[in-house]
Amino acid sequence: MKYSGIGGQAVIEGIMMQNGDDYAIAVRKPDGEIEIKKDRYVSLTERYPVLGLPFIRGVFKFADSMVVGMKALTWSCSFFEDDEDAEPGKFEAWLDRVFGEKLESILMTVVMIFSFIMAIGIFMLLPLLIARLCRPFIPSETLMAVLEGFIRIAIFIIYIKMVSRMEDIRRTFMYHGSEHKCINCIEHGLALNVANVRASSKEHKRCGTSFIMIVMIISILFFMVIRTDTVWLRFLSRIVLIPVIAGVSYEFLRFAGRNDSRLVNFLSRPGMWMQGLTTTEPDDSMIEVAIAAVEEVFDWRAYLNENFPGWKEEP
């Protein structure tokens, strides 16, 4: 495996692939055609170099991925609106009149902030509350930290299991699998075609699901060491330490994505196992969409020529 630098995200009936500042979204429209949009986003770490320092950049890289991901998701959803001719309600009309062209970006910001707050509540604070119910039976602070971590992982698994029952989410997980397969295909020196992509793995070490799993494991280690006696300080520590935990987790994920040693692969296994919940084998039509997104932003032939001399492109 050789690092390519490309990454992506599944959207509604499509894939977003990013290479540096360039990203492309490919969507399979209801009529069966593939629509592609290419755009550019300059990351915070590029605009402000100090934010790109190790252990600091992780939080801002995550913010960048949220911004690009929301843009891609919003665009993909536009092809599948239930009733495009329906008259907007009074509240929608008022929002459009007040905010005008800025409405979409404002709504995206509100959704991102709300999602972040909900994620903190569900995955950071709720496990602490549940773990505290067992406090009379577990005197050890170390065991309490481990219990809280396992509760956090259990909540995440239950959440994924619940949302995966929705048809749209199941198909999104299939597109997620096709995204990983495309990247694995290229990074293992194979020509980018449907047959090679289909034969490639649907798990990848640089996946966002792996990042979440690493965050959960790192949080266990942090909270085993950092202890407070008062309840409100414990709640505060879970919030304040999020950037630190995310920064450490990102550095590990970044290192793992660029290395293929046995030790790194072993340490990456928990995240890869978790991807079994968020990736599903795609069909060939989904693979075609992923390939279209890759080819819009990445010259994979030049990459293979440089990193895998002697590769052959099958007819």
Side-chain angles (χ1 to χ4, degrees), residues 68-285:
V68 176
M70 283 297 297
K71 287 178 179 287
L73 187 61
T74 301
W75 187 75
S76 68
C77 287
S78 67
F79 294 100
F80 304 95
E81 294 177 353
D82 293 333
D83 191 355
E84 297 180 358
D85 298 326
E87 287 293 325
K90 291 182 179 180
F91 182 63
E92 294 177 79
W94 178 81
L95 287 174
D96 190 55
R97 186 170 61 253
V98 172
F99 298 107
E101 295 181 355
K102 296 180 180 179
L103 178 59
E104 182 176 324
S105 61
I106 291 173
L107 289 176
M108 283 176 53
T109 302
V110 171
V111 170
M112 288 173 59
I113 293 173
F114 177 76
S115 301
F116 184 68
I117 293 173
M118 288 297 294
I120 291 175
I122 295 172
F123 298 112
M124 297 303 290
L125 302 184
L126 181 59
L128 176 59
L129 279 173
I130 297 174
R132 282 192 61 79
L133 297 176
C134 302
R135 189 69 182 86
F137 311 103
I138 304 177
S140 170
E141 292 293 338
T142 299
L143 289 178
M144 282 293 292
V146 173
L147 175 63
E148 180 188 338
F150 277 106
I151 292 172
R152 186 172 292 117
I153 294 171
I155 290 174
F156 179 70
I157 292 174
I158 292 170
Y159 169 77
I160 294 297
K161 285 289 189 180
M162 289 176 62
V163 299
S164 65
R165 297 173 69 89
M166 302 167 59
E167 177 62 25
D168 287 344
I169 299 299
R170 281 201 297 269
R171 290 187 61 80
T172 301
F173 286 172
M174 293 173 74
Y175 276 104
H176 190 195
S178 68
E179 173 223 331
H180 285 185
K181 281 174 167 286
C182 270
I183 297 174
N184 276 319
C185 175
I186 295 168
E187 294 187 339
H188 286 83
L190 300 175
L192 191 63
N193 57 49
V194 173
N196 286 340
V197 171
R198 191 192 309 117
S200 299
S201 173
K202 65 181 180 67
E203 283 84 35
H204 196 281
K205 287 186 291 186
R206 287 188 283 115
C207 174
T209 306
S210 289
F211 175 74
I212 294 172
M213 187 62 183
I214 294 167
V215 165
M216 292 180 182
I217 294 173
I218 296 294
S219 69
I220 294 175
L221 300 177
F222 266 76
F223 299 140
M224 285 174 63
V225 177
I226 301 173
R227 303 173 182 177
T228 56
D229 295 329
T230 56
V231 175
W232 72 270
L233 280 176
R234 291 191 182 192
F235 278 101
L236 184 62
S237 69
R238 271 42 177 186
I239 298 173
V240 171
L241 288 174
I242 287 174
V244 180
I245 294 170
V248 173
S249 301
Y250 174 79
E251 295 304 322
F252 174 79
L253 192 73
R254 188 174 187 272
F255 178 78
R258 289 164 169 78
N259 293 272
D260 204 31
S261 68
R262 290 185 178 181
L263 177 60
V264 168
N265 290 338
F266 173 76
L267 294 175
S268 299
R269 289 317 305 170
M272 304 284 272
W273 289 332
M274 192 65 75
Q275 289 177 43
L277 298 174
T278 62
T279 59
T280 308
E281 288 293 335
D283 59 36
D284 288 357
S285 67

